[in-house]
């Protein structure tokens, strides 16, 4: 690996030699050399290359013996899932890539996977794009990529958007945590694994082409009727919890639509031998409902056209539905106006409230004694413990819950040493005299008293009767409060990441995307900033 490459790997947080490539073969010795060479020729070298022979009769050792850095595990035939689990048990690295013995990896597979993992901490797996090639590795179609959504489990219920498992980089510990591959699942075993992992961990995708799927006529996935049967079994096994109504709705729709999906697949030209393909089509046609045969008829019509005309129509269809790599798909975010104009309240819980409420819950023991909150006492009531008095400050009179009227940026509004805890969530942006406010808050706290505050950073600006003056960053906020409370008495923490900030700017709610993608913190993209400041006793 050259210096520039090594620097890039270090910069992205990836660790060299942290990936095991597990190649599973059964009677694919004629292709195995290509698979091994693709594993050895990675821009970031793997830590291990393990070939697992699932009871082959074509002597894969005659191939692996040419590669002293390759470990061969020879097993009696027990199925592909058992072979993959055996490879996993022998892996020593942090990450794992599975490669079938008849497929190949692109030279950037490890590098791209590690970069995506570094950008998506906590993900169970990440995946990239792949192409379909013929027996001689000539390109037939692609790149193929369906990008992962924030709620990958629901997306997977709709369709197996990952498609090719060689395009996947797994976190080994998380893979082991879900039990690896289920050895009782004969087909669609990777789909079953993806669903189980997405139910517990985040899933991310990236646009790099990292694998080639070789079509040679003997591919396991060519048996469409068997794949259909196992697809339904896998969906049955991964039925959502009853209280997850939205996922259950998606699951039911997927069960109804699975027949159409596989009828269409059976009628597509995949390059396998024609006699078996027609047999598969006949099987699917006999069990398919009449409503699904229109799509099959359209596929047949394309097949009857001259080759060049059919090829042109396929390309037009592909261009219309699959943008080329490098083109950004903005999807629902390709708009001038945001999805909602009220921070996401109309859709559910605003993203910033996810961080605010988690922060207050973590410091509930500070919300005690005589408290002060701005606007109302909602959070004091929700998180307070042992509260003996709860004052509420508002700038304008009229609210029946208000006990103090005034601007905290004005001298003399708060009594000295009056409060054990002051809770100010998303208030400082409306205060012009921040230095005065900080000094007054410090003065109003009793010795040992605590300020719990949150402020906006990357945020929409509210256009109401209240004037929004400021958005904050960590350095400025810490410098201001250190000067009042004293260095060492102030904790200032950013909350959020680039994905969370995008959602918040668009008014996307927590319920839209789930909490998992909001948890990792990237200090360069704070949605809001939390503050805990203690007045010295």
């Amino acid at each position: 690996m050259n210096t520039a490459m090594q620097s890039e790997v270090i910069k992205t947080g990836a660790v060299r030699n942290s990936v095991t490539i597990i190649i599973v073969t059964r009677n694919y010795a004629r292709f195995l050399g290509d698979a091994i060479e693709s594993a050895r020729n990675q821009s970031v070298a793997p830590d291990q290359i393990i070939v697992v022979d699932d009871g082959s009769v074509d002597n894969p050792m005659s191939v692996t013996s040419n590669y002293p850095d390759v470990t061969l595990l020879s097993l009696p035939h027990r199925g592909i899932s058992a072979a993959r689990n055996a490879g996993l048990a022998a892996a020593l690295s942090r990450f794992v890539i599975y490669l079938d013995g008849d497929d190949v990896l692109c030279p950037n597979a490890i590098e791209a996977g590690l970069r995506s993992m570094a950008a998506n901490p906590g993900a169970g797996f990440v995946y990239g794009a792949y192409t379909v090639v013929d027996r001689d590795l000539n390109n037939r179609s692609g790149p193929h990529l369906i990008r992962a959504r924030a709620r990958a489990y629901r997306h997977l219920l709709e369709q197996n958007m990952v498609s090719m498992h060689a395009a996947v980089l797994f976190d080994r510990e998380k893979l082991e945590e879900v039990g690896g591959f289920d050895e009782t699942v004969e087909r669609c075993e990777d789909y079953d694994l993806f669903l189980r992992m997405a139910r517990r961990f985040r899933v991310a995708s990236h646009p790099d082409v990292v694998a080639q799927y070789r079509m040679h006529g003997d591919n396991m996935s060519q048996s469409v009727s068997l794949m259909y049967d196992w697809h339904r079994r896998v969906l049955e096994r991964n039925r959502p919890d009853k209280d997850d109504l939205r996922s259950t709705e998606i699951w039911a729709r997927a069960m109804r639509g699975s027949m159409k999906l596989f009828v269409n697949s059976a009628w597509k030209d995949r390059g396998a031998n024609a006699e078996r393909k027609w047999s598969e089509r006949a099987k699917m046609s006999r069990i398919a409902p009449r409503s699904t045969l229109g799509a099959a008829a359209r596929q047949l019509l394309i097949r009857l056209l001259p080759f060049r005309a059919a090829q042109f129509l396929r390309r037009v269809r592909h261009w219309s539905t699959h943008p080329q790599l490098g083109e950004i798909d903005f999807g629902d975010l390709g708009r001038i106006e945001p999805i909602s104009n009220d921070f996401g309240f109309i859709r559910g819980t605003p993203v910033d409230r996810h961080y605010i409420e988690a922060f207050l819950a973590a410091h509930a023991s500070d919300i005690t004694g005589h408290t002060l909150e701005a606007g109302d006492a909602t959070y004091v009531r929700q998180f307070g413990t042992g509260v003996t008095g709860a004052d509420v400050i508002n700038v304008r009179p009229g609210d029946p819950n208000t006990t103090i009227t005034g601007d905290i940026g004005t001298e003399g509004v708060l009594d000295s040493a009056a409060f054990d805890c002051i809770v100010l969530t998303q208030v400082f942006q409306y205060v012009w005299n921040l230095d005065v406010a900080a000094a007054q808050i410090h003065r109003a706290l009793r010795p040992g008293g605590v300020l719990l505050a949150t402020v906006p950073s990357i945020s929409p600006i509210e256009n109401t009767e209240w004037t929004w003056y400021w958005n904050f960053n960590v350095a400025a906020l810490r410098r201001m409060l250190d000067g009042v409370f004293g260095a060492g008495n102030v904790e200032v923490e950013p909350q959020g990441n680039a994905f969370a900030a995008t959602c918040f700017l668009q008014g996307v709610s927590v319920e839209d995307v789930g909490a998992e993608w909001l948890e990792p913190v990237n200090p360069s993209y704070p949605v809001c900033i939390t503050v805990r400041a203690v007045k010295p006793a």
Side-chain angles (χ1 to χ4, degrees), residues 39-195:
R40 298 177 79 236
N41 293 329
Q42 291 293 302
S43 58
V44 175
D47 184 47
Q48 294 172 285
I49 301 174
I50 300 173
V51 173
V52 185
D53 172 25
D54 182 30
S56 297
V57 296
D58 59 358
N59 191 20
M61 185 180 292
S62 64
V63 180
T64 60
S65 61
N66 297 317
Y67 302 98
D69 55 337
V70 173
T71 300
L72 174 64
L73 302 180
S74 296
L75 307 175
H77 175 51
R78 291 172 48 208
I80 193 168
S81 292
R84 288 174 180 164
N85 285 341
L88 179 64
L92 303 175
S93 61
R94 181 180 174 188
F95 302 108
V96 170
I97 293 175
Y98 286 103
L99 177 65
D100 284 351
D102 55 341
D103 296 329
V104 295
L105 294 174
C106 299
N108 64 326
I110 290 179
E111 182 186 355
L114 290 176
R115 186 184 298 113
S116 183
M117 269 292 183
N120 297 281
F125 66 86
V126 299
Y127 67 94
Y130 69 95
T131 58
V132 177
V133 296
D134 63 16
R135 183 186 298 266
D136 300 317
L137 301 181
N138 299 309
N139 189 66
R140 291 193 58 191
S141 68
H144 300 282
L145 176 66
I146 301 174
R147 297 301 297 265
R149 299 176 193 161
R151 290 196 163 182
Y153 172 64
R154 291 178 178 176
H155 194 183
L156 277 163
L157 288 175
E158 294 176 352
Q159 63 180 143
N160 181 5
M161 70 278 188
V162 183
S163 297
M164 187 186 181
H165 60 261
V168 177
L169 179 76
F170 290 97
D171 184 310
R172 181 177 60 82
E173 290 185 359
K174 291 181 173 61
L175 179 57
E176 291 174 339
E177 199 173 319
V178 300
F181 288 87
D182 188 328
E183 297 179 17
T184 67
V185 178
E186 297 177 15
R187 303 288 175 105
C188 301
E189 71 290 332
D190 50 353
Y191 184 36
D192 174 72
L193 176 65
F194 298 150
L195 281 164

Side-chain angles (χ1 to χ4, degrees), residues 116-404:
S116 183
M117 269 292 183
N120 297 281
F125 66 86
V126 299
Y127 67 94
Y130 69 95
T131 58
V132 177
V133 296
D134 63 16
R135 183 186 298 266
D136 300 317
L137 301 181
N138 299 309
N139 189 66
R140 291 193 58 191
S141 68
H144 300 282
L145 176 66
I146 301 174
R147 297 301 297 265
R149 299 176 193 161
R151 290 196 163 182
Y153 172 64
R154 291 178 178 176
H155 194 183
L156 277 163
L157 288 175
E158 294 176 352
Q159 63 180 143
N160 181 5
M161 70 278 188
V162 183
S163 297
M164 187 186 181
H165 60 261
V168 177
L169 179 76
F170 290 97
D171 184 310
R172 181 177 60 82
E173 290 185 359
K174 291 181 173 61
L175 179 57
E176 291 174 339
E177 199 173 319
V178 300
F181 288 87
D182 188 328
E183 297 179 17
T184 67
V185 178
E186 297 177 15
R187 303 288 175 105
C188 301
E189 71 290 332
D190 50 353
Y191 184 36
D192 174 72
L193 176 65
F194 298 150
L195 281 164
R196 286 186 285 118
M197 292 196 73
R199 207 164 184 168
R200 298 181 60 177
F201 309 111
R202 292 186 306 111
V203 174
S205 60
H206 60 83
D208 297 84
V209 179
V210 293
Q212 294 180 321
Y213 181 52
R214 190 197 310 247
M215 300 300 298
H216 49 76
D218 297 320
N219 302 78
M220 182 176 175
S221 59
Q222 287 297 316
S223 182
V224 179
S225 56
L226 276 175
M227 294 293 286
Y228 162 73
D229 179 50
W230 276 103
H231 178 85
R232 288 186 65 85
R233 292 194 203 182
V234 166
L235 281 175
E236 286 281 8
R237 293 160 59 92
N238 290 277
R239 186 170 188 156
D241 298 330
K242 290 182 179 179
D243 57 352
D244 188 350
L245 298 180
R246 178 58 178 153
S247 295
T248 300
E249 177 188 340
I250 293 170
W251 176 87
R253 189 166 63 242
M255 290 293 288
R256 292 193 300 269
S258 61
M259 176 64 72
K260 182 176 180 180
L261 171 68
F262 279 88
V263 168
N264 288 348
S265 180
W267 284 82
K268 287 180 181 177
D269 177 14
R270 291 297 190 192
N273 63 72
E275 182 178 350
R276 193 179 72 182
K277 283 192 301 180
W278 282 103
S279 172
E280 292 292 341
R281 292 166 187 166
K283 288 180 187 178
M284 295 302 292
S285 296
R286 283 196 295 272
I287 63 175
R290 188 182 302 269
S291 62
T292 65
L293 295 179
R298 288 192 295 272
Q299 291 290 338
L300 180 60
L301 178 61
I302 290 178
R303 287 181 55 80
L304 294 176
L305 291 172
F307 173 76
R308 291 188 180 278
Q311 188 178 45
F312 174 75
L313 287 179
R314 289 192 183 102
R315 286 178 178 173
V316 169
R317 183 182 179 189
H318 177 82
W319 291 335
S320 66
T321 57
H322 297 84
Q324 297 297 306
L325 291 176
E327 295 180 359
I328 298 174
D329 180 5
F330 286 98
D332 289 336
L333 303 186
R335 55 201 300 141
I336 301 301
E337 289 296 315
I339 289 174
S340 67
N341 281 300
D342 62 347
F343 300 94
F345 275 110
I346 196 171
R347 302 181 63 84
T349 306
V351 169
D352 66 338
R353 295 290 149 175
H354 171 75
Y355 303 112
I356 292 166
E357 293 176 8
F359 166 70
L360 294 176
H363 296 288
S365 60
D366 290 329
I367 307 175
T368 187
H370 194 170
T371 65
L372 173 68
E373 186 171 357
D376 55 48
T378 299
Y379 283 146
V380 166
R381 287 194 298 267
Q382 182 176 349
F383 299 104
T385 56
V387 174
T388 58
D391 279 313
V392 174
I393 183 171
N394 272 304
V395 174
R396 296 177 183 175
D399 190 311
N401 298 313
T402 298
T403 59
I404 301 172

